[in-house]
Amino acid sequence: EVQLVESGGGLVQAGGSLRLSCAASGFTFDDYAIGWFRQAPGKELEGVSCIRSNHERTYYADSVKGRFTSSSDSAKNMIYLQMDNLKPEDTAVYYCSVVQTPFFCSETLLGTFRVWGQGTQVTVSS
């Protein structure tokens, strides 16, 4: 059974940085795509990033491109999201997710994710 547990959220001022972590278990990293999603109050779930363990053809939403970097460490069963130059509009609950797939990351692939962690709150003050 796939299990995902996020941590690392918190309150940060605009322009600051946070690193989210996701402890993962129950799957083989090589067979899965890894995603980060977020949901702000009153808004729909948004796909933020998608990577594979070989880091080929990563995907980032335009809203975070150049500021967020996702990575994974299969030896430690960990997934990370480094968030720099944070903006108030980045405020949301952030979720990590995985999907077993042979395909490269893309915006389309983000629509196929179905397994989620419990989320971690990120609040960016102006």
Side-chain angles (χ1 to χ4, degrees):
E1 179 186 3
V2 174
Q3 292 190 331
L4 304 165
V5 180
E6 301 93 338
S7 61
L11 174 63
V12 63
Q13 289 188 333
S17 296
L18 278 176
R19 188 196 196 200
L20 304 184
S21 298
C22 176
S25 62
F27 65 97
T28 302
F29 276 59
D30 288 349
D31 298 334
Y32 282 70
I34 297 165
W36 283 94
F37 294 75
R38 67 185 181 184
Q39 189 165 27
K43 294 189 177 182
E44 293 185 354
L45 191 68
E46 176 188 13
V48 172
S49 68
C50 176
I51 65 169
R52 298 200 64 109
S53 59
N54 58 14
H55 286 218
E56 289 185 358
R57 298 193 190 179
T58 58
Y59 169 85
Y60 291 93
D62 288 343
S63 57
V64 306
K65 199 172 294 182
R67 301 188 297 120
F68 288 13
T69 304
S70 182
S71 61
S72 64
D73 185 338
S74 58
K76 297 181 179 179
N77 288 334
M78 294 295 296
I79 301 165
Y80 305 101
L81 184 67
Q82 177 67 39
M83 306 186 295
D84 299 317
N85 190 21
L86 282 161
K87 303 176 181 181
E89 52 263 44
D90 294 320
T91 295
V93 178
Y94 283 72
Y95 303 89
C96 65
S97 181
V98 296
V99 64
Q100 187 174 13
T101 178
F103 300 117
F104 290 113
C105 285
S106 66
E107 185 175 12
T108 301
L109 188 66
L110 283 174
T112 67
F113 284 72
R114 294 291 182 268
V115 180
W116 312 94
Q118 85 288 350
T120 185
Q121 175 71 46
V122 172
T123 303
V124 184
S125 64
S126 58

